[in-house]
Amino acid sequence: MMKKTIVLLRLSYWIAAIADFVVAILAWIPERMGVEAVAYPMGLFSVIAFSWTVMLLMADRKPIERKWVLIPTIIVVALITIVRAVFSLGGTIEFSLGLLLFGIALIILMTYSYYYASKQEKSR
């Protein structure tokens, strides 16, 4: 059971970290953001996304002890998913069912991983 717990947590950390890293890189592509040059908010967002990537990779070093990192990550992923959906429904950005489903799937994976790890910890 401990092995399954660690695999779930690490899967959550790594998928979220890779997604954050991709977002950090994409925020530096001006054309993707509808501007001609990198703007200050894009730089801030990129730094935050990159920092979150590092935090998730640090959590992976001690997956069970640092499972708490998933709680703020779930909140951030949920908020990003909601904001993207609202802006796409408003026509500001293109709607992507794939990105919406990815956000929802990641939230479900992280929530389940945290719940499962907590449940295993209590049963010991």
Side-chain angles (χ1 to χ4, degrees):
M1 289 296 175
M2 182 65 75
K3 188 173 184 172
K4 180 180 177 183
T5 302
I6 291 171
V7 168
L8 279 170
L9 289 170
R10 287 196 162 149
L11 191 61
S12 293
Y13 297 143
W14 276 92
I15 291 173
I18 291 167
D20 275 339
F21 184 75
V22 169
V23 166
I25 298 301
L26 290 175
W28 277 101
I29 302 173
E31 299 81 25
R32 181 146 168 67
M33 299 295 154
V35 294
E36 292 183 18
V38 175
Y40 180 67
M42 293 164 58
L44 288 178
F45 181 73
S46 183
V47 168
I48 292 167
F50 180 74
S51 298
W52 209 280
T53 299
V54 172
M55 183 177 70
L56 286 162
L57 295 178
M58 288 174 59
D60 180 65
R61 304 280 295 174
K62 293 184 179 181
I64 294 173
E65 295 87 348
R66 297 178 183 163
K67 72 180 182 297
W68 63 268
V69 167
L70 290 178
I71 295 170
T73 305
I74 291 165
I75 294 167
V76 168
V77 172
L79 291 172
I80 289 172
T81 303
I82 291 167
V83 167
R84 188 171 202 304
V86 168
F87 276 83
S88 65
L89 292 174
T92 308
I93 58 173
E94 185 178 331
F95 178 75
S96 172
L97 181 61
L99 287 176
L100 178 64
L101 293 176
F102 176 75
I104 292 168
L106 186 54
I107 293 164
I108 291 169
L109 172 65
M110 291 186 297
T111 302
Y112 179 73
S113 298
Y114 181 82
Y115 170 78
Y116 188 83
S118 296
K119 189 173 127 181
Q120 293 302 315
E121 194 173 55
K122 288 179 184 175
S123 69
R124 275 191 258 142

